[in-house]
Every structure is written in C-alpha cells, then in structure tokens.
C-alpha cells in the first residue's frame, strides 16, 4: 500500500477532472492521501473532498504566501472545521518562507497561531520551510505540537539530522528524483528509516519521468522507488515501513 502524505487535490488544477484522478487512485495501490491546504478556500474544499472520498484525509492550514490575508478571527472558523470532521488529521501546510512577499513577523504570527491549533487538538503539524534552520526549529519547540512533519524536505543532511533528532518526521517529494538533486538524495540516505515519509506535493513537483507535467498522487511510487534505491532496501519492506510511519506521524489508527 502506498501513502501520499502531502498532496493538494483541493488545488484549482484538479478542479476539472478530480473525479477521474480519484478513480485512478482507487484503482491504484494508493491507500491514503493527506490533502494539504494553503488558505481558507482550499481548506473548505479539502474538507469537502475528505467527506466525499474515504481515502482522502484533510490537513488544514495557511501557507506563508497567504499570511498577509489571514484574519486572526479565522482561528475560530478553523476550530469549527476541526471539530466538525474526524477526517482532519493535520494542520498544514504552515511555516516560513524566505521568498514570501510577506514580512517575517507576520509569517511568524500566523505560523504560531496554527502551531497552537495543532497542539490544542493533538493534530500533526505539517511544516513548509524555505530558507530557515534553527529559527524554525526554535519556534516549533517553543509551541510544542505533539507530532511534526517537515514536508518536501529539500535541505542538507546536517539540517535533517537536527530535525529528526527532535523526533520530527521528514517527508520527501518528487524533486528527489531529479538528477541534480544531490543534497536531497544525500539527506534521504542519512534519514533514519523510522522518521521517513513520502509525498507528491501534487500538482507540483512532478518526478523526473513526467517532469513539467501536472503531478498526481499515484506518482508517489516514483519517490519510493528512488529512496529504495538510495537506501538499498527492498521496495516491499520500505512500503511497509512507510505505512507504519504514516500511522505514527498522523496518529492514524484506522
Ligand atoms: Zn504543499
């Protein structure tokens, strides 16, 4: 069974043929996908999708790109969403991004509010991180959500060691299959097996074999294939480990 722990089926690029994408998923070996949202509109769609399809779980968040649009009274709205649905298993994606056109102080305020929410409801915090190291680890430690996943891990192995030493999970995406992704490949080789997860981040980050096209959750198998070869492990064994890790990382008992 394959699990895509981070995808965006709520994204507008899936709005026209989502049922076909979902059908392909049903017929594939993909067992579960965690649908990640980046703003209020997407969070609403994500909730809807998780109600429509048993294998879709919802992750509710506000990406740093949208931090300027965030109204803090919305936290109450998000509380309502969480209470309304057992399919919400995570808060994210949330985090910090050096490329966001939003002042860092504002990104930080929004990030902290959602980390608090994750902690309050014992939900996994799914982190988007571009360009930060100790700063982001300090903020997460300060709030202390119960479980943390660094999504689309794209930094070096030294940072990976710091992240996993805190007990956080690291999730690799399709960019690990790119030929020039030396640092990411090295990080994956160094990742402890019990902290490893895989994702597509679809529709983004299509793996090498469909590079430039729209990505879909079924391509999570390309990420697994790459990691199995880097770590010289059997794919069946790796899939089993990844499934166990998914259950632990998201406290999923189904
Ligand atoms: Zn994402």
């Amino acid at each position: 069974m394959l699990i895509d722990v981070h995808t965006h089926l709520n994204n507008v690029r899936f709005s026209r043929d989502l049922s076909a994408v979902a059908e392909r998923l049903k017929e594939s070996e993909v067992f579960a996908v965690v649908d990640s949202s980046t703003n209020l509109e997407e969070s609403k769609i994500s909730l809807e999708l998780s109600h429509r399809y048993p294998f879709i779980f919802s992750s509710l968040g506000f990406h740093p790109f949208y931090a300027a649009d965030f109204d803090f009274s919305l936290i109450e709205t998000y509380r309502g969403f969480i209470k309304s649905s057992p399919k919400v298993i995570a808060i994210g994606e949330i985090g910090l991004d050096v490329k966001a056109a939003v002042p860092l102080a504002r990104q930080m305020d929004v990030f902290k509010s959602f980390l608090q929410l994750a902690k309050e409801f014992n939900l996994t915090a799914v982190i988007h991180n571009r360009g930060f190291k100790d700063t982001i680890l300090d903020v997460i430690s300060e709030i202390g959500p119960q479980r943390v996943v660094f999504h689309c891990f794209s930094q070096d192995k030294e940072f990976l060691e710091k992240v996993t030493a805190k007990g956080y999970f690291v999730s690799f995406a399709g960019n690990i299959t790119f030929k020039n992704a030396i640092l990411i490949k090295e990080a994956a080789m160094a990742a402890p097996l019990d902290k490893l997860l895989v994702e597509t981040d679809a529709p983004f980050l299509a793996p090498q074999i469909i590079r430039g096209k729209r990505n879909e959750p079924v391509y999570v198998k390309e990420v697994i294939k790459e990691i199995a070869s880097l770590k010289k492990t059997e794919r069946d064994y790796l899939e089993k480990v990844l499934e166990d890790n998914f259950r632990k990382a998201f406290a999923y008992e189904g």
Side-chain angles (χ1 to χ4, degrees):
M1 288 193 293
L2 313 180
I3 294 141
D4 180 357
V5 306
H6 187 104
T7 190
H8 298 266
L9 292 176
N10 59 67
N11 186 276
V12 64
R13 288 174 68 190
F14 286 115
S15 58
R16 290 168 77 194
D17 64 343
L18 184 86
S19 40
V21 174
E23 260 335 290
R24 280 199 283 282
L25 268 174
K26 252 196 253 172
E27 288 157 15
S28 73
E29 315 147 271
V30 177
F31 160 72
V33 304
V34 181
D35 187 54
S36 166
S37 55
T38 66
N39 58 36
L40 180 63
E41 278 319 299
E42 287 188 358
S43 292
K44 287 181 187 164
I45 300 171
S46 182
L47 271 176
E48 230 176 82
L49 295 179
S50 71
H51 294 152
R52 205 180 317 155
Y53 299 101
F55 53 90
I56 298 181
F57 295 86
S58 187
S59 178
L60 305 180
F62 236 87
H63 192 284
F65 281 179
Y66 298 102
D69 310 335
F70 187 73
D71 172 345
F72 286 87
S73 67
L74 280 178
I75 286 292
E76 216 29 60
T77 309
Y78 274 83
R79 279 205 180 92
F81 289 162
I82 297 164
K83 287 180 192 159
S84 76
S85 172
K87 297 292 294 287
V88 177
I89 61 170
I91 295 296
E93 55 188 285
I94 54 173
L96 301 174
D97 192 315
V98 280
K99 290 203 176 158
V102 179
L104 182 58
R106 174 72 183 189
Q107 293 187 43
M108 204 61 109
D109 286 348
V110 175
F111 183 32
K112 285 183 179 174
S113 304
F114 277 90
L115 283 173
Q116 294 280 10
L117 213 51
K119 187 172 180 188
E120 179 183 338
F121 288 95
N122 188 19
L123 293 170
T124 304
V126 177
I127 311 296
H128 167 96
N129 175 34
R130 175 149 49 190
F132 293 90
K133 289 191 164 170
D134 291 340
T135 311
I136 199 159
L137 289 177
D138 290 347
V139 180
I140 299 168
S141 293
E142 182 193 321
I143 313 267
Q146 291 86 341
R147 293 170 306 284
V148 175
V149 172
F150 270 70
H151 114 81
C152 187
F153 193 89
S154 305
Q155 286 172 286
D156 58 26
K157 93 174 198 266
E158 284 70 28
F159 185 59
L160 180 135
E161 278 157 8
K162 282 190 175 180
V163 170
T164 53
K166 294 223 170 233
Y168 305 159
F169 289 84
V170 284
S171 173
F172 288 91
N175 54 351
I176 197 174
T177 64
F178 300 167
K179 290 201 176 67
N180 58 357
I182 313 291
L183 279 185
I184 309 177
K185 289 179 202 282
E186 266 176 24
M189 281 191 262
L193 264 188
D194 66 339
K195 291 289 173 275
L196 196 64
L197 294 166
V198 288
E199 64 175 76
T200 58
D201 206 17
F204 316 108
L205 290 179
Q208 191 71 41
I209 56 155
I210 53 153
R211 201 165 175 178
K213 301 215 177 100
R214 185 184 71 174
N215 199 1
E216 286 188 22
V218 287
Y219 291 105
V220 76
K221 60 178 184 278
E222 294 301 314
V223 183
I224 297 173
K225 221 195 273 175
E226 180 69 27
I227 294 179
S229 111
L230 288 169
K231 285 190 157 316
K232 301 185 173 47
T233 43
E234 291 291 326
R235 261 168 69 187
D236 287 354
Y237 172 70
L238 183 60
E239 283 176 21
K240 180 81 193 70
V241 169
L242 291 168
E243 189 190 327
D244 284 350
N245 292 351
F246 161 71
R247 290 176 192 278
K248 284 183 200 134
F250 293 90
Y252 177 69
E253 286 164 359

